[in-house]
Amino acid sequence: MPEPLPAPVIDAHTHLDACGFTDPDSVRAALDRAASVGVGRVITVADDLPSARWVVEAAGWDERVFAAVALHPTRTSVFGDAERTELEKLAAAPRVVAVGETGLDYYWDYAPPAAQDLAFRWHIDLAKRLDKALMIHDRDAHADVLRILDEEGAPDTVVFHCFSGDAAFARKCVDKGYVLSFAGPVTFRNSADLREAARLVPDDQFLIETDAPFLTPHPYRGRPNEPYAVTYTARVIASLRGVDVAEIAEITSATAERVFRLAERSVTR
């Protein structure tokens, strides 16, 4: 286990079910491990309908768990009325703090771009109707993601999960008021562009996350990931920005509290 942080942090994006924590006991054990090093709360994120049902249920098992619900862009080749109806109901649940992850993925060839486009626009509208944050998945699609957000009118809060752009793209997002969430890749020594982006984002516009079980940070790159490992990302970002890690913990926790309105969602079912 890593060295405990001097102040608590929030893992702004994880997939507890994909990590293998699928029942109340295993979820509590994962959160206990995370809490032992200062990771006090997590947002567990769905990528398909079974996962969406699960994250809503899991958010009721432990007060440290919140949820985000959407259909991942790579899953949108089949996205009809039945899927929309169920997702809308699930996303309205009290402990769901965001509509996500949604967006565009041009890396994988699992769903046609046109289908992803339509689903993304629907999720944008859902986030606005529910007055919840929109959690973006953007892989090799920077320009189109920004264009669609402009065309549809972005919700009040937009979070770019696992931000993957360079400094120029980060500036465009920051200028629009969007929040950038940094995951394990920012700790990789060959991620110079991403590291530069992490340096320039204002204090109130960035988050930290694991995206577990994926993207394990250095020095455990390539191994299974889980929420406690966000501590490594926090320390690297502190170093990049030239501040104490306690400051990173405090400002990212405050941002997560604000953008996901966690105080309003603090009562379990």
Side-chain angles (χ1 to χ4, degrees), residues 4 80 87 92 102 136 138 147 172 221:
L87 281 171
T102 181
I136 300 288
D138 164 25
R147 174 180 57 80
K172 290 180 181 179
R221 184 177 182 178

Short mmCIF file of all heavy atoms in Angstrom, two decimals, residues 4 80 87 92 102 136 138 147 172 221:
data_model
loop_
_atom_site.label_atom_id
_atom_site.label_comp_id
_atom_site.label_asym_id
_atom_site.label_seq_id
_atom_site.Cartn_x
_atom_site.Cartn_y
_atom_site.Cartn_z
N PRO A 4 0.18 6.91 3.23
CA PRO A 4 -1.07 7.66 3.37
C PRO A 4 -0.89 9.14 3.03
O PRO A 4 0.16 9.74 3.31
CB PRO A 4 -1.43 7.47 4.85
CG PRO A 4 -0.73 6.22 5.24
CD PRO A 4 0.54 6.20 4.46
N GLY A 80 -31.74 2.04 -28.35
CA GLY A 80 -33.11 2.35 -28.71
C GLY A 80 -33.91 2.91 -27.56
O GLY A 80 -33.38 3.29 -26.52
N LEU A 87 -32.06 3.95 -18.82
CA LEU A 87 -30.96 4.82 -18.41
C LEU A 87 -31.48 6.10 -17.75
O LEU A 87 -30.91 6.57 -16.76
CB LEU A 87 -30.08 5.18 -19.60
CG LEU A 87 -29.09 4.11 -20.05
CD1 LEU A 87 -28.44 4.50 -21.37
CD2 LEU A 87 -28.02 3.90 -18.98
N ALA A 92 -31.58 9.11 -12.72
CA ALA A 92 -32.30 9.98 -11.79
C ALA A 92 -32.18 9.55 -10.34
O ALA A 92 -32.63 10.27 -9.44
CB ALA A 92 -33.78 10.05 -12.20
N THR A 102 -19.99 9.21 -21.20
CA THR A 102 -20.54 9.33 -22.54
C THR A 102 -19.61 10.21 -23.37
O THR A 102 -18.81 10.95 -22.81
CB THR A 102 -21.95 9.94 -22.51
OG1 THR A 102 -22.47 10.04 -23.85
CG2 THR A 102 -21.95 11.34 -21.90
N ILE A 136 -17.45 13.04 -19.53
CA ILE A 136 -17.07 12.81 -20.92
C ILE A 136 -16.01 11.73 -21.07
O ILE A 136 -15.00 11.72 -20.36
CB ILE A 136 -16.52 14.11 -21.55
CG1 ILE A 136 -17.56 15.24 -21.51
CG2 ILE A 136 -16.02 13.87 -22.96
CD1 ILE A 136 -18.69 15.06 -22.47
N ASP A 138 -13.54 10.84 -24.05
CA ASP A 138 -13.05 11.43 -25.30
C ASP A 138 -11.76 10.72 -25.68
O ASP A 138 -10.71 10.94 -25.07
CB ASP A 138 -12.82 12.93 -25.08
CG ASP A 138 -11.96 13.56 -26.17
OD1 ASP A 138 -11.94 13.03 -27.29
OD2 ASP A 138 -11.32 14.60 -25.89
N ARG A 147 -17.19 20.30 -30.55
CA ARG A 147 -18.20 20.78 -31.50
C ARG A 147 -19.60 20.38 -31.07
O ARG A 147 -20.53 21.22 -31.08
CB ARG A 147 -17.90 20.23 -32.90
CG ARG A 147 -18.97 20.55 -33.94
CD ARG A 147 -18.64 19.99 -35.29
NE ARG A 147 -18.44 18.54 -35.28
CZ ARG A 147 -19.43 17.65 -35.29
NH1 ARG A 147 -20.69 18.04 -35.30
NH2 ARG A 147 -19.16 16.35 -35.29
N LYS A 172 -8.38 25.15 -24.30
CA LYS A 172 -9.71 25.29 -24.89
C LYS A 172 -10.79 24.84 -23.92
O LYS A 172 -11.83 25.50 -23.77
CB LYS A 172 -9.79 24.46 -26.18
CG LYS A 172 -8.97 25.00 -27.33
CD LYS A 172 -9.13 24.11 -28.56
CE LYS A 172 -8.29 24.61 -29.72
NZ LYS A 172 -8.43 23.74 -30.93
N ARG A 221 2.47 0.52 -13.28
CA ARG A 221 1.86 0.51 -14.60
C ARG A 221 1.77 -0.91 -15.15
O ARG A 221 2.72 -1.68 -15.07
CB ARG A 221 2.70 1.37 -15.55
CG ARG A 221 2.11 1.52 -16.94
CD ARG A 221 2.98 2.46 -17.78
NE ARG A 221 2.42 2.66 -19.10
CZ ARG A 221 2.95 3.46 -20.02
NH1 ARG A 221 4.06 4.13 -19.75
NH2 ARG A 221 2.38 3.59 -21.20
#
